Amino acid sequence: MAAEASIPALIRRKRDGERLSDEEIERFVQGVTAGTVQEGQIGAMLMAIRLRGMDAEETLALTRAMAASGRALAWPPGWRGRLVDKHSTGGVGDKVSLALAPALAACGCKVSGEAVGAVGPGGPGGGGSRWSWWWWVPVVLVVLAGPSRSE
């Protein structure tokens, strides 16, 4: 069995145009989310990816690893096909969310959104559980929420 390549070795390989395996990409993402990969290493990997690119399989592996790195919410079955997520709501220069969310809600959709730094955990002003904001979706139909630290 071959030894695992170090994070710097993965960065060098990507810098040199090599393809990273699904397992290597997953390990890198896990290291980033666990805080074991240094900020400079993250920047170096991102630069290597930007300069050398990723093939479709690498992109899929990165997307899956990132999606699996957080906590997924379980929505009620009755919302299937009616739940809409609008990424980056309420950000600086956002001209879409405040018009789009109510329009979708008027059509019967449940709308959730993520506003970086705009809303504290538990809704405006913070103070609640990290996941308490989702309780409001069936009540008001639209929730624009921001990320917080893991609990």
Side-chain angles (χ1 to χ4, degrees), residues 26-37 42 65-70 150:
E26 184 176 320
R27 190 161 47 84
F28 180 77
V29 170
Q30 287 174 346
V32 170
T33 59
T36 59
V37 177
I42 297 168
M66 290 174 66
S69 71
S150 296

Side-chain angles (χ1 to χ4, degrees), residues 123-145:
S129 164
R130 166 184 152 123
W131 299 106
S132 65
W133 62 266
W134 78 267
W135 181 87
W136 288 98
V137 174
V139 177
V140 297
L141 297 178
V142 177
V143 171
L144 304 182

